[in-house]
Amino acid sequence: MEAAALKSLCVVCLSLGTPSSSRVSRYQLGLLSLLLSRMQNCVEVQVYDPVLGETDAKLLGGFGYSCIAPPEAAAQHTAPVGSFTLFFMPHCDLELYEAVLRANWPQCDSGAYSGLRRLAILGNSLSAYADRVVDRGRYGASEYVENGSRQCREMPIADGSGDSRRYSSIYIAWQSSRTTTCPCK
């Protein structure tokens, strides 16, 4: 990730669940809050999950987060020029990762473009998803996830020991180079 890209940060949290009634959702909200407490430049946090109720919206509002709808708007959020977007999406399904990457993959008329430089994903491993797609013979069904897995670096956020086991399947993914190839070619 480029340091210049971090001048302003927007976080889009997808499929959080219901923190008012789910322990797993509270763990994820705790992780999100901890991460944000370490970031000085976060300007906006948007949360979407179809199961969020009024109690959850009030709880999230207390953190300064806004609830957004519908899911298409959340998945199609793109980073404005001069800012950076972190998609916080632990344990989301393949289709949501595909939608986020498709919406944020720049059009590729020239053959060389900046790719996903203003975007990072904190969630499941793109490589693991791509491997499962190939293993199931569905190659091509998730072209953006498959291409993203090849063009992004991934790093687990926890080592899997002690209390960090809860987060051992969560990775941060970001584009590893300035120029990428277009998944639609």
Side-chain angles (χ1 to χ4, degrees), residues 11-35:
V11 176
V12 177
C13 175
L14 300 176
S15 296
L16 178 66
T18 54
S20 64
S21 61
S22 166
R23 183 173 44 116
V24 172
S25 295
R26 286 191 294 275
Y27 282 135
Q28 290 181 10
L29 179 58
L31 175 60
L32 176 61
S33 298
L34 177 64
L35 290 171

PDB file of all heavy atoms in Angstrom, residues 11-35:
ATOM      1  N   VAL A  11     -13.778   3.230   5.534  1.00  0.00           N
ATOM      2  CA  VAL A  11     -13.932   1.809   5.839  1.00  0.00           C
ATOM      3  C   VAL A  11     -15.360   1.408   5.518  1.00  0.00           C
ATOM      4  O   VAL A  11     -16.312   2.068   5.940  1.00  0.00           O
ATOM      5  CB  VAL A  11     -13.609   1.511   7.323  1.00  0.00           C
ATOM      6  CG1 VAL A  11     -13.873   0.049   7.647  1.00  0.00           C
ATOM      7  CG2 VAL A  11     -12.182   1.893   7.640  1.00  0.00           C
ATOM      8  N   VAL A  12     -15.497   0.338   4.742  1.00  0.00           N
ATOM      9  CA  VAL A  12     -16.801  -0.229   4.430  1.00  0.00           C
ATOM     10  C   VAL A  12     -16.834  -1.622   5.049  1.00  0.00           C
ATOM     11  O   VAL A  12     -16.050  -2.493   4.691  1.00  0.00           O
ATOM     12  CB  VAL A  12     -17.042  -0.305   2.904  1.00  0.00           C
ATOM     13  CG1 VAL A  12     -18.378  -0.967   2.607  1.00  0.00           C
ATOM     14  CG2 VAL A  12     -16.973   1.082   2.279  1.00  0.00           C
ATOM     15  N   CYS A  13     -17.723  -1.813   6.022  1.00  0.00           N
ATOM     16  CA  CYS A  13     -17.850  -3.079   6.742  1.00  0.00           C
ATOM     17  C   CYS A  13     -19.077  -3.809   6.206  1.00  0.00           C
ATOM     18  O   CYS A  13     -20.195  -3.295   6.285  1.00  0.00           O
ATOM     19  CB  CYS A  13     -17.996  -2.792   8.233  1.00  0.00           C
ATOM     20  SG  CYS A  13     -18.316  -4.250   9.232  1.00  0.00           S
ATOM     21  N   LEU A  14     -18.847  -4.995   5.660  1.00  0.00           N
ATOM     22  CA  LEU A  14     -19.936  -5.764   5.062  1.00  0.00           C
ATOM     23  C   LEU A  14     -20.180  -7.053   5.843  1.00  0.00           C
ATOM     24  O   LEU A  14     -19.243  -7.708   6.287  1.00  0.00           O
ATOM     25  CB  LEU A  14     -19.593  -6.108   3.607  1.00  0.00           C
ATOM     26  CG  LEU A  14     -19.350  -4.912   2.687  1.00  0.00           C
ATOM     27  CD1 LEU A  14     -18.928  -5.380   1.309  1.00  0.00           C
ATOM     28  CD2 LEU A  14     -20.578  -4.026   2.610  1.00  0.00           C
ATOM     29  N   SER A  15     -21.451  -7.405   5.998  1.00  0.00           N
ATOM     30  CA  SER A  15     -21.875  -8.662   6.623  1.00  0.00           C
ATOM     31  C   SER A  15     -21.349  -8.833   8.038  1.00  0.00           C
ATOM     32  O   SER A  15     -20.848  -9.890   8.410  1.00  0.00           O
ATOM     33  CB  SER A  15     -21.473  -9.857   5.743  1.00  0.00           C
ATOM     34  OG  SER A  15     -22.157  -9.786   4.521  1.00  0.00           O
ATOM     35  N   LEU A  16     -21.493  -7.799   8.838  1.00  0.00           N
ATOM     36  CA  LEU A  16     -21.064  -7.837  10.232  1.00  0.00           C
ATOM     37  C   LEU A  16     -21.924  -8.774  11.065  1.00  0.00           C
ATOM     38  O   LEU A  16     -21.452  -9.383  12.022  1.00  0.00           O
ATOM     39  CB  LEU A  16     -21.104  -6.425  10.833  1.00  0.00           C
ATOM     40  CG  LEU A  16     -20.744  -6.280  12.294  1.00  0.00           C
ATOM     41  CD1 LEU A  16     -19.268  -6.630  12.504  1.00  0.00           C
ATOM     42  CD2 LEU A  16     -21.032  -4.872  12.780  1.00  0.00           C
ATOM     43  N   GLY A  17     -23.187  -8.889  10.719  1.00  0.00           N
ATOM     44  CA  GLY A  17     -24.113  -9.652  11.551  1.00  0.00           C
ATOM     45  C   GLY A  17     -24.789  -8.709  12.534  1.00  0.00           C
ATOM     46  O   GLY A  17     -24.816  -7.497  12.337  1.00  0.00           O
ATOM     47  N   THR A  18     -25.318  -9.263  13.611  1.00  0.00           N
ATOM     48  CA  THR A  18     -26.041  -8.463  14.599  1.00  0.00           C
ATOM     49  C   THR A  18     -25.268  -8.430  15.915  1.00  0.00           C
ATOM     50  O   THR A  18     -25.395  -9.329  16.744  1.00  0.00           O
ATOM     51  CB  THR A  18     -27.446  -9.048  14.850  1.00  0.00           C
ATOM     52  OG1 THR A  18     -27.303 -10.423  15.208  1.00  0.00           O
ATOM     53  CG2 THR A  18     -28.328  -8.941  13.625  1.00  0.00           C
ATOM     54  N   PRO A  19     -24.476  -7.388  16.144  1.00  0.00           N
ATOM     55  CA  PRO A  19     -23.697  -7.333  17.373  1.00  0.00           C
ATOM     56  C   PRO A  19     -24.554  -7.310  18.644  1.00  0.00           C
ATOM     57  O   PRO A  19     -24.090  -7.719  19.703  1.00  0.00           O
ATOM     58  CB  PRO A  19     -22.866  -6.061  17.230  1.00  0.00           C
ATOM     59  CG  PRO A  19     -23.349  -5.358  16.029  1.00  0.00           C
ATOM     60  CD  PRO A  19     -24.218  -6.278  15.257  1.00  0.00           C
ATOM     61  N   SER A  20     -25.805  -6.893  18.524  1.00  0.00           N
ATOM     62  CA  SER A  20     -26.663  -6.867  19.710  1.00  0.00           C
ATOM     63  C   SER A  20     -27.025  -8.274  20.190  1.00  0.00           C
ATOM     64  O   SER A  20     -27.382  -8.452  21.353  1.00  0.00           O
ATOM     65  CB  SER A  20     -27.937  -6.066  19.431  1.00  0.00           C
ATOM     66  OG  SER A  20     -28.706  -6.700  18.421  1.00  0.00           O
ATOM     67  N   SER A  21     -26.916  -9.277  19.315  1.00  0.00           N
ATOM     68  CA  SER A  21     -27.309 -10.623  19.722  1.00  0.00           C
ATOM     69  C   SER A  21     -26.310 -11.723  19.341  1.00  0.00           C
ATOM     70  O   SER A  21     -26.529 -12.873  19.697  1.00  0.00           O
ATOM     71  CB  SER A  21     -28.676 -10.971  19.114  1.00  0.00           C
ATOM     72  OG  SER A  21     -28.607 -10.941  17.700  1.00  0.00           O
ATOM     73  N   SER A  22     -25.233 -11.382  18.658  1.00  0.00           N
ATOM     74  CA  SER A  22     -24.289 -12.405  18.215  1.00  0.00           C
ATOM     75  C   SER A  22     -22.892 -12.150  18.772  1.00  0.00           C
ATOM     76  O   SER A  22     -22.310 -11.088  18.560  1.00  0.00           O
ATOM     77  CB  SER A  22     -24.220 -12.426  16.680  1.00  0.00           C
ATOM     78  OG  SER A  22     -23.105 -13.169  16.240  1.00  0.00           O
ATOM     79  N   ARG A  23     -22.373 -13.149  19.467  1.00  0.00           N
ATOM     80  CA  ARG A  23     -21.027 -13.054  20.033  1.00  0.00           C
ATOM     81  C   ARG A  23     -19.979 -12.901  18.925  1.00  0.00           C
ATOM     82  O   ARG A  23     -19.061 -12.109  19.028  1.00  0.00           O
ATOM     83  CB  ARG A  23     -20.738 -14.283  20.887  1.00  0.00           C
ATOM     84  CG  ARG A  23     -19.402 -14.263  21.576  1.00  0.00           C
ATOM     85  CD  ARG A  23     -19.277 -15.439  22.528  1.00  0.00           C
ATOM     86  NE  ARG A  23     -19.751 -16.667  21.922  1.00  0.00           N
ATOM     87  CZ  ARG A  23     -19.001 -17.720  21.668  1.00  0.00           C
ATOM     88  NH1 ARG A  23     -17.735 -17.731  22.011  1.00  0.00           N
ATOM     89  NH2 ARG A  23     -19.483 -18.792  21.103  1.00  0.00           N
ATOM     90  N   VAL A  24     -20.132 -13.657  17.833  1.00  0.00           N
ATOM     91  CA  VAL A  24     -19.190 -13.570  16.711  1.00  0.00           C
ATOM     92  C   VAL A  24     -19.203 -12.156  16.129  1.00  0.00           C
ATOM     93  O   VAL A  24     -18.150 -11.582  15.826  1.00  0.00           O
ATOM     94  CB  VAL A  24     -19.519 -14.629  15.629  1.00  0.00           C
ATOM     95  CG1 VAL A  24     -18.689 -14.415  14.381  1.00  0.00           C
ATOM     96  CG2 VAL A  24     -19.319 -16.032  16.184  1.00  0.00           C
ATOM     97  N   SER A  25     -20.373 -11.579  15.979  1.00  0.00           N
ATOM     98  CA  SER A  25     -20.478 -10.206  15.468  1.00  0.00           C
ATOM     99  C   SER A  25     -19.799  -9.210  16.409  1.00  0.00           C
ATOM    100  O   SER A  25     -19.158  -8.256  15.963  1.00  0.00           O
ATOM    101  CB  SER A  25     -21.944  -9.811  15.276  1.00  0.00           C
ATOM    102  OG  SER A  25     -22.538 -10.602  14.285  1.00  0.00           O
ATOM    103  N   ARG A  26     -19.935  -9.440  17.713  1.00  0.00           N
ATOM    104  CA  ARG A  26     -19.271  -8.550  18.673  1.00  0.00           C
ATOM    105  C   ARG A  26     -17.753  -8.677  18.579  1.00  0.00           C
ATOM    106  O   ARG A  26     -17.033  -7.683  18.699  1.00  0.00           O
ATOM    107  CB  ARG A  26     -19.761  -8.839  20.096  1.00  0.00           C
ATOM    108  CG  ARG A  26     -21.176  -8.312  20.330  1.00  0.00           C
ATOM    109  CD  ARG A  26     -21.568  -8.349  21.790  1.00  0.00           C
ATOM    110  NE  ARG A  26     -21.677  -9.686  22.344  1.00  0.00           N
ATOM    111  CZ  ARG A  26     -22.758 -10.456  22.278  1.00  0.00           C
ATOM    112  NH1 ARG A  26     -23.845 -10.017  21.673  1.00  0.00           N
ATOM    113  NH2 ARG A  26     -22.770 -11.654  22.824  1.00  0.00           N
ATOM    114  N   TYR A  27     -17.248  -9.902  18.365  1.00  0.00           N
ATOM    115  CA  TYR A  27     -15.802 -10.073  18.165  1.00  0.00           C
ATOM    116  C   TYR A  27     -15.346  -9.293  16.935  1.00  0.00           C
ATOM    117  O   TYR A  27     -14.320  -8.620  16.949  1.00  0.00           O
ATOM    118  CB  TYR A  27     -15.428 -11.550  17.984  1.00  0.00           C
ATOM    119  CG  TYR A  27     -15.380 -12.360  19.252  1.00  0.00           C
ATOM    120  CD1 TYR A  27     -15.963 -13.619  19.303  1.00  0.00           C
ATOM    121  CD2 TYR A  27     -14.729 -11.887  20.385  1.00  0.00           C
ATOM    122  CE1 TYR A  27     -15.913 -14.387  20.454  1.00  0.00           C
ATOM    123  CE2 TYR A  27     -14.681 -12.646  21.542  1.00  0.00           C
ATOM    124  CZ  TYR A  27     -15.271 -13.893  21.568  1.00  0.00           C
ATOM    125  OH  TYR A  27     -15.213 -14.645  22.713  1.00  0.00           O
ATOM    126  N   GLN A  28     -16.104  -9.411  15.844  1.00  0.00           N
ATOM    127  CA  GLN A  28     -15.737  -8.703  14.624  1.00  0.00           C
ATOM    128  C   GLN A  28     -15.821  -7.191  14.822  1.00  0.00           C
ATOM    129  O   GLN A  28     -14.941  -6.450  14.361  1.00  0.00           O
ATOM    130  CB  GLN A  28     -16.621  -9.145  13.462  1.00  0.00           C
ATOM    131  CG  GLN A  28     -16.336 -10.560  13.022  1.00  0.00           C
ATOM    132  CD  GLN A  28     -17.193 -11.003  11.852  1.00  0.00           C
ATOM    133  OE1 GLN A  28     -17.893 -10.230  11.227  1.00  0.00           O
ATOM    134  NE2 GLN A  28     -17.125 -12.291  11.551  1.00  0.00           N
ATOM    135  N   LEU A  29     -16.848  -6.726  15.516  1.00  0.00           N
ATOM    136  CA  LEU A  29     -16.968  -5.294  15.802  1.00  0.00           C
ATOM    137  C   LEU A  29     -15.813  -4.839  16.690  1.00  0.00           C
ATOM    138  O   LEU A  29     -15.254  -3.757  16.495  1.00  0.00           O
ATOM    139  CB  LEU A  29     -18.318  -5.004  16.474  1.00  0.00           C
ATOM    140  CG  LEU A  29     -18.584  -3.558  16.859  1.00  0.00           C
ATOM    141  CD1 LEU A  29     -18.514  -2.626  15.646  1.00  0.00           C
ATOM    142  CD2 LEU A  29     -19.952  -3.448  17.548  1.00  0.00           C
ATOM    143  N   GLY A  30     -15.422  -5.670  17.651  1.00  0.00           N
ATOM    144  CA  GLY A  30     -14.273  -5.345  18.500  1.00  0.00           C
ATOM    145  C   GLY A  30     -12.989  -5.229  17.697  1.00  0.00           C
ATOM    146  O   GLY A  30     -12.196  -4.306  17.908  1.00  0.00           O
ATOM    147  N   LEU A  31     -12.785  -6.153  16.772  1.00  0.00           N
ATOM    148  CA  LEU A  31     -11.598  -6.089  15.919  1.00  0.00           C
ATOM    149  C   LEU A  31     -11.618  -4.825  15.069  1.00  0.00           C
ATOM    150  O   LEU A  31     -10.619  -4.114  14.974  1.00  0.00           O
ATOM    151  CB  LEU A  31     -11.513  -7.329  15.021  1.00  0.00           C
ATOM    152  CG  LEU A  31     -10.374  -7.335  13.993  1.00  0.00           C
ATOM    153  CD1 LEU A  31      -9.012  -7.248  14.669  1.00  0.00           C
ATOM    154  CD2 LEU A  31     -10.475  -8.591  13.121  1.00  0.00           C
ATOM    155  N   LEU A  32     -12.760  -4.527  14.469  1.00  0.00           N
ATOM    156  CA  LEU A  32     -12.886  -3.309  13.660  1.00  0.00           C
ATOM    157  C   LEU A  32     -12.596  -2.071  14.505  1.00  0.00           C
ATOM    158  O   LEU A  32     -11.822  -1.196  14.104  1.00  0.00           O
ATOM    159  CB  LEU A  32     -14.287  -3.224  13.046  1.00  0.00           C
ATOM    160  CG  LEU A  32     -14.599  -1.953  12.254  1.00  0.00           C
ATOM    161  CD1 LEU A  32     -13.672  -1.799  11.064  1.00  0.00           C
ATOM    162  CD2 LEU A  32     -16.065  -1.972  11.819  1.00  0.00           C
ATOM    163  N   SER A  33     -13.173  -1.999  15.683  1.00  0.00           N
ATOM    164  CA  SER A  33     -12.965  -0.839  16.563  1.00  0.00           C
ATOM    165  C   SER A  33     -11.509  -0.706  16.987  1.00  0.00           C
ATOM    166  O   SER A  33     -10.965   0.403  17.036  1.00  0.00           O
ATOM    167  CB  SER A  33     -13.869  -0.934  17.792  1.00  0.00           C
ATOM    168  OG  SER A  33     -15.216  -0.922  17.393  1.00  0.00           O
ATOM    169  N   LEU A  34     -10.867  -1.822  17.298  1.00  0.00           N
ATOM    170  CA  LEU A  34      -9.448  -1.797  17.668  1.00  0.00           C
ATOM    171  C   LEU A  34      -8.599  -1.280  16.512  1.00  0.00           C
ATOM    172  O   LEU A  34      -7.734  -0.419  16.697  1.00  0.00           O
ATOM    173  CB  LEU A  34      -8.980  -3.185  18.086  1.00  0.00           C
ATOM    174  CG  LEU A  34      -7.495  -3.315  18.419  1.00  0.00           C
ATOM    175  CD1 LEU A  34      -7.146  -2.471  19.641  1.00  0.00           C
ATOM    176  CD2 LEU A  34      -7.130  -4.776  18.651  1.00  0.00           C
ATOM    177  N   LEU A  35      -8.848  -1.797  15.314  1.00  0.00           N
ATOM    178  CA  LEU A  35      -8.097  -1.331  14.147  1.00  0.00           C
ATOM    179  C   LEU A  35      -8.290   0.166  13.928  1.00  0.00           C
ATOM    180  O   LEU A  35      -7.326   0.901  13.682  1.00  0.00           O
ATOM    181  CB  LEU A  35      -8.528  -2.090  12.896  1.00  0.00           C
ATOM    182  CG  LEU A  35      -8.124  -3.549  12.814  1.00  0.00           C
ATOM    183  CD1 LEU A  35      -8.818  -4.218  11.640  1.00  0.00           C
ATOM    184  CD2 LEU A  35      -6.620  -3.689  12.702  1.00  0.00           C
TER     185      LEU A  35
END
